[in-house]
Amino acid sequence: MKKISGYLLSMMLVLISLILIDVVIVFFICVQKENEYLNTFHIKKISDQITNVDGYYKVEQSVYEMLDKTASFAMIIDDSGKIMWEYNKPSDVPDSYGIKEVAAFTRWYLDDYPAYTWTRDDGILVVGHPKGSIWKYDFEVSMDTMSSLLKVGPYLFIANMLILLLLPVFITRKWMRNREKARTEWIAGVSHDIRTPLSIVMTSVEKGSVEEKQCFKIRDLIGNLNTENKLEAGTGKWNDEEINLTSLLREIICDYINTYDDYSFELEVDERLEKYNIQADATLIRRMIENIITNSIVHNEKGCEIKVTLSAYGKGKAKLVICDNGQGANEQKLKVLNKKIKNTYLPEHGLGIRVVKQVAKKYGMKVMFTSVEGGFFRNEIVF
């Protein structure tokens, strides 16, 4: 979820930045380019600088400069359609006009020359620009259409924002699922390839030897790696079954007694919990418990006593305590063990304990570690 949130935040920041940059660029382009030509805002100024005194036109020098600068032409047409004054008029521009021609070029073009007009007392001032210099078309919208757009606009904006927010989430989640699925399949394939030669090695080593213990470590590591990856990626298919916790504990302890000769195992169950059941996946619960017991074995290679106790805890709950009398752990390590699990694939305190925390989190169980260095190591799980 953090990756998705980070992606969305980055996407929004990039989008906003792009919009702002585009608006600024377009604004400066428009301002710069528009200033190169004489538009409607300049026509009145030009008209004011052209005065008609008894049929003679007096033109300010600045008018000629503006027209020359933009390679434009200008002319004044009287009410009869005749040109009364002109400057730089191209040869292909007519010398007289009817009402139809005036109506046409007033809005768009005069023989492909972009034209602007201004009404005067003595007629119409026309300023034309070179062909192909200005794109000039009117855009008209009826009031009914505008009213509809104003009504639909807010909903359209909301719909666009929802698409902008939800579509990247959908795409990102799908991409992440495909990636995690591929990673899970790769790990499962590697684990499968390792199990076969490992089984052969385990049958050939001496029981209780260092080699056998190392084989057990590799076996547990493979199992934890698969479980951790499925829990982290959410790609595992777990059963929701009723598990008798007492029976499961007895099976696990019997397996450890038959496997490890240098360790002492003891199981103590409250009589009231003989039929205590939980709803979970039996494989996950078994691995969680086995990881805690294995943790005591791994950190006490010379052997130790491991006691497993299941007792009542509050109303309808049970507490599982797994404690050894081995070398224990210091305060710094305990602090790390009791922290919430980090969202990273690199475990900060061993893959086995990480899986314990992941399973507990999945089923809403409480996990706590306590220890005295050189005295004991104790793990409590409240179901």
Side-chain angles (χ1 to χ4, degrees), residues 133-327:
S133 60
I134 297 176
W135 185 86
K136 188 174 183 287
Y137 285 99
D138 287 343
F139 179 75
E140 297 178 356
V141 179
S142 69
M143 288 305 298
D144 290 338
T145 303
M146 185 59 69
S147 299
S148 299
L149 288 174
L150 291 174
K151 290 178 182 178
V152 174
Y155 299 103
L156 188 62
F157 174 78
I158 293 172
N160 288 335
M161 291 303 296
L162 289 175
I163 292 172
L164 182 65
L165 292 172
L166 297 179
L167 185 60
V169 173
F170 173 78
I171 294 173
T172 305
R173 289 183 65 181
K174 187 174 182 180
W175 174 78
M176 290 180 66
R177 285 177 180 174
N178 291 337
R179 188 188 69 170
E180 296 299 342
K181 182 180 179 182
R183 192 171 76 102
T184 300
E185 291 175 352
W186 179 80
I187 291 176
V190 173
S191 300
H192 180 269
D193 292 340
I194 294 175
R195 283 196 185 98
T196 302
L198 182 63
S199 299
I200 297 174
V201 173
M202 289 181 69
T203 56
S204 62
V205 298
E206 184 181 349
K207 183 176 175 60
S209 64
V210 175
E211 289 81 5
E212 186 186 45
K213 292 179 180 178
Q214 294 301 318
C215 288
F216 287 152
K217 284 184 180 180
I218 296 173
R219 181 196 63 187
D220 293 338
L221 178 61
I222 294 171
N224 283 325
L225 184 61
N226 273 319
T227 304
E228 190 275 340
N229 182 64
K230 291 177 181 178
L231 288 169
E232 182 71 27
T235 55
K237 295 181 180 180
W238 313 112
N239 297 319
D240 186 20
E241 53 192 313
E242 193 171 274
I243 306 167
N244 182 270
L245 197 53
T246 301
S247 299
L248 180 62
L249 287 171
R250 288 194 174 110
E251 290 177 12
I252 293 172
I253 295 301
C254 284
D255 289 342
Y256 275 94
I257 290 173
N258 294 329
T259 304
Y260 295 93
D261 296 332
D262 299 334
Y263 299 85
S264 170
F265 300 93
E266 180 183 351
L267 175 62
E268 185 179 311
V269 177
D270 190 321
E271 293 181 356
R272 296 171 294 177
L273 300 177
E274 285 291 338
K275 296 183 179 181
Y276 183 79
N277 297 331
I278 60 173
Q279 288 292 129
D281 183 273
T283 304
L284 286 181
I285 300 300
R286 172 183 282 272
R287 182 161 295 281
M288 178 179 67
I289 296 171
E290 288 179 346
N291 281 355
I292 298 171
I293 297 174
T294 301
N295 185 67
S296 294
I297 294 173
V298 169
H299 289 88
N300 298 282
E301 294 183 355
K302 295 181 180 180
C304 67
E305 296 176 2
I306 301 172
K307 184 175 182 180
V308 180
T309 305
L310 183 64
S311 58
Y313 184 83
K315 188 176 180 180
K317 294 184 178 181
K319 180 168 71 173
L320 176 66
V321 178
I322 300 174
C323 184
D324 66 63
N325 62 348
Q327 64 181 11

Side-chain angles (χ1 to χ4, degrees), residues 31-196:
V31 170
Q32 182 181 2
K33 296 300 181 181
E34 287 299 320
N35 286 336
E36 294 178 1
Y37 295 99
L38 304 176
N39 53 35
T40 305
F41 299 102
H42 300 94
I43 303 303
K44 183 180 183 302
K45 184 178 179 181
I46 293 174
S47 181
D48 291 340
Q49 296 182 43
I50 303 175
T51 56
N52 186 347
V53 181
D54 298 330
Y56 174 78
Y57 286 93
K58 182 181 179 182
V59 183
E60 299 290 338
Q61 182 63 32
S62 59
V63 172
Y64 298 125
E65 292 175 355
M66 282 190 288
L67 293 171
D68 290 337
K69 182 179 179 181
T70 57
S72 303
F73 68 91
M75 59 185 179
I76 295 176
I77 304 172
D78 65 10
D79 295 341
S80 64
K82 293 182 179 180
I83 296 177
M84 304 302 295
W85 172 86
E86 60 87 9
Y87 180 73
N88 284 344
K89 184 178 76 70
S91 59
D92 57 343
V93 172
D95 294 327
S96 63
Y97 300 89
I99 190 171
K100 291 182 179 179
E101 289 83 5
V102 173
F105 72 67
T106 299
R107 299 184 62 186
W108 295 297
Y109 294 85
L110 170 57
D111 290 343
D112 294 332
Y113 292 96
Y116 294 91
T117 60
W118 186 263
T119 303
R120 297 165 49 93
D121 293 338
D122 56 353
I124 300 174
L125 171 65
V126 181
V127 174
H129 293 288
K131 293 180 180 180
S133 60
I134 297 176
W135 185 86
K136 188 174 183 287
Y137 285 99
D138 287 343
F139 179 75
E140 297 178 356
V141 179
S142 69
M143 288 305 298
D144 290 338
T145 303
M146 185 59 69
S147 299
S148 299
L149 288 174
L150 291 174
K151 290 178 182 178
V152 174
Y155 299 103
L156 188 62
F157 174 78
I158 293 172
N160 288 335
M161 291 303 296
L162 289 175
I163 292 172
L164 182 65
L165 292 172
L166 297 179
L167 185 60
V169 173
F170 173 78
I171 294 173
T172 305
R173 289 183 65 181
K174 187 174 182 180
W175 174 78
M176 290 180 66
R177 285 177 180 174
N178 291 337
R179 188 188 69 170
E180 296 299 342
K181 182 180 179 182
R183 192 171 76 102
T184 300
E185 291 175 352
W186 179 80
I187 291 176
V190 173
S191 300
H192 180 269
D193 292 340
I194 294 175
R195 283 196 185 98
T196 302

